[in-house]
């Protein structure tokens, strides 16, 4: 082995390259159809398709072809303080925020940002677009504060738009407490989660949307009915607007 280069030493013999060719071609076909499949799914499909191959050989060829999928790294979130779901005593004590999503008839996915007053359950706003980054969330909240006044607290989950520095800085300047619930604990944001269920069942799942303009029109009509016509048992069978006016 003295004087033999590493590249020459690691080079596959010609007969091995020829034997691997059918497996490589089969892998290319599978990857073309199922780009998100990992090693084990590909290996079992090769076996099911009639190739007599063990997993070690499949893995060697799989790695040599550079098919390894990137590992998903779990994003570590800071510890959140567990707090019971407080019952607000007046409007603007706490607003809850959350996203929902659906698709248009042409397959494009859109999102909605829903903002709810926890006290009177009034739906303060629904922002609709294909993309709603943190900067857009701040714009929506700024507009709602101008219309309804400044809340004491915002309650959200740990979505990237809500844990962003942009929203945190805005809340600090406004003197608003941004409360992030514990990851995986949606019951800590129960008011907006309960609303999202009704919103999806009665509106998103009940219609086929042709365009964003169509979505916005239907949401505006539904929002008006929700705030002014729908009596809620939790509000002593008053509508959100009636409960707010009676407070």
């Amino acid at each position: 082995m003295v004087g033999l280069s590493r590249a020459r030493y690691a080079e596959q013999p010609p007969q091995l390259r020829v034997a691997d060719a059918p497996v490589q071609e089969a892998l290319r076909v599978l990857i073309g159809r199922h780009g998100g499949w990992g090693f084990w799914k590909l290996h079992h499909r090769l076996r099911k398709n009639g190739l007599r191959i063990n997993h070690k050989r499949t893995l060697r060829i799989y790695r040599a072809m550079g098919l390894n999928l990137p590992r998903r790294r779990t994003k570590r979130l800071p510890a959140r303080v567990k707090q019971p779901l407080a019952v607000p005593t007046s409007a603007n004590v706490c607003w809850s925020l959350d996203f929902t999503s659906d698709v248009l008839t042409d397959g494009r996915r859109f999102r909605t940002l829903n903002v709810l007053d926890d006290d009177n359950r009034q739906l303060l706003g629904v922002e609709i677009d294909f993309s709603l980054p943190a900067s857009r969330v701040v714009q929506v909240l700024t507009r709602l504060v101008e219309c309804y006044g400044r809340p004491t607290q915002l309650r959200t989950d740990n979505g990237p738009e809500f844990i962003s520095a942009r929203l945190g800085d805005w809340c600090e300047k406004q003197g608003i407490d941004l409360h992030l619930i514990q990851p995986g604990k949606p019951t800590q944001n129960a008011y907006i989660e309960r609303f999202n269920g009704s919103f999806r069942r009665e509106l998103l799942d009940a219609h086929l949307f042709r365009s964003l303009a169509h979505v916005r029109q239907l949401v505006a009509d539904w929002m008006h009915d929700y705030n002014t016509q729908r009596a809620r048992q939790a509000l002593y069978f008053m509508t959100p607007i009636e409960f707010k006016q009676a407070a």
Side-chain angles (χ1 to χ4, degrees):
M1 295 298 179
V2 177
L4 187 64
S5 69
R6 290 186 178 182
R8 185 64 178 173
Y9 177 75
E11 184 180 359
Q12 291 183 346
Q15 62 271 24
L16 186 58
R17 292 198 297 269
V18 172
D20 288 348
V23 181
Q24 292 174 342
E25 182 58 30
L27 283 172
R28 289 191 187 97
V29 172
L30 288 177
I31 288 295
R33 296 176 182 172
H34 311 286
W37 280 15
F39 162 72
W40 283 109
K41 279 190 175 181
L42 292 170
H43 172 69
H44 289 304
R45 179 56 65 90
L46 290 177
R47 298 269 299 180
K48 190 173 182 180
N49 289 349
L51 277 176
R52 300 183 64 181
I53 184 172
N54 64 37
H55 72 278
K56 294 180 181 179
R57 184 181 172 202
T58 305
L59 182 60
R60 175 177 58 79
I61 299 172
Y62 176 84
R63 287 175 172 172
M65 294 175 67
L67 300 178
N68 306 58
L69 291 175
R71 290 190 176 184
R72 293 182 179 178
R73 296 185 179 274
T74 302
K75 187 172 184 179
R76 295 186 178 274
L77 296 172
R80 308 299 186 198
V81 178
K82 182 178 180 180
Q83 295 181 0
L85 184 63
V87 179
T89 56
S90 63
N92 286 350
V93 170
C94 183
W95 292 358
S96 294
L97 288 74
D98 202 5
F99 288 100
T100 57
S101 66
D102 210 323
V103 294
L104 302 179
T105 52
D106 61 9
R108 289 182 294 172
R109 181 165 292 276
F110 65 88
R111 306 179 76 197
T112 75
L113 171 64
N114 307 327
V115 185
L116 192 77
D117 189 312
D118 289 356
D119 173 62
N120 49 50
R121 312 300 199 275
Q122 181 182 1
L123 181 57
L124 303 176
V126 179
E127 190 74 4
I128 303 161
D129 215 327
F130 295 120
S131 176
L132 293 171
S135 58
R136 188 72 170 275
V137 174
V138 169
Q139 291 176 13
V140 172
L141 290 173
T142 300
R143 187 171 67 245
L144 292 178
V145 166
E146 292 175 354
C147 182
Y148 298 104
R150 185 183 297 110
T152 304
Q153 183 185 79
L154 297 179
R155 183 189 293 112
T156 74
D157 60 20
N158 292 271
E161 299 84 2
F162 299 140
I163 65 175
S164 68
R166 186 182 293 267
L167 180 59
D169 292 343
W170 181 85
C171 287
E172 185 176 353
K173 291 178 182 178
Q174 295 288 327
I176 298 173
D177 174 36
L178 178 60
H179 175 63
L180 300 166
I181 66 173
Q182 290 179 296
K185 303 289 184 180
T187 54
Q188 295 180 8
N189 205 10
Y191 293 121
I192 194 71
E193 292 291 345
R194 171 66 177 82
F195 166 81
N196 286 345
S198 299
F199 185 67
R200 176 162 298 283
R201 183 174 57 255
E202 299 175 15
L203 183 66
L204 297 182
D205 290 348
H207 297 276
L208 295 175
F209 303 106
R210 300 184 300 273
S211 64
L212 286 184
H214 187 208
V215 179
R216 289 172 179 139
Q217 181 58 56
L218 290 177
V219 168
D221 294 341
W222 188 88
M223 179 176 171
H224 179 267
D225 179 80
Y226 180 89
N227 283 333
T228 64
Q229 302 299 320
R230 181 177 305 193
R232 297 181 59 87
Q233 183 176 358
L235 303 179
Y236 306 101
F237 295 98
M238 289 186 282
T239 68
I241 295 299
E242 289 172 342
F243 188 84
K244 182 178 181 179
Q245 293 172 345

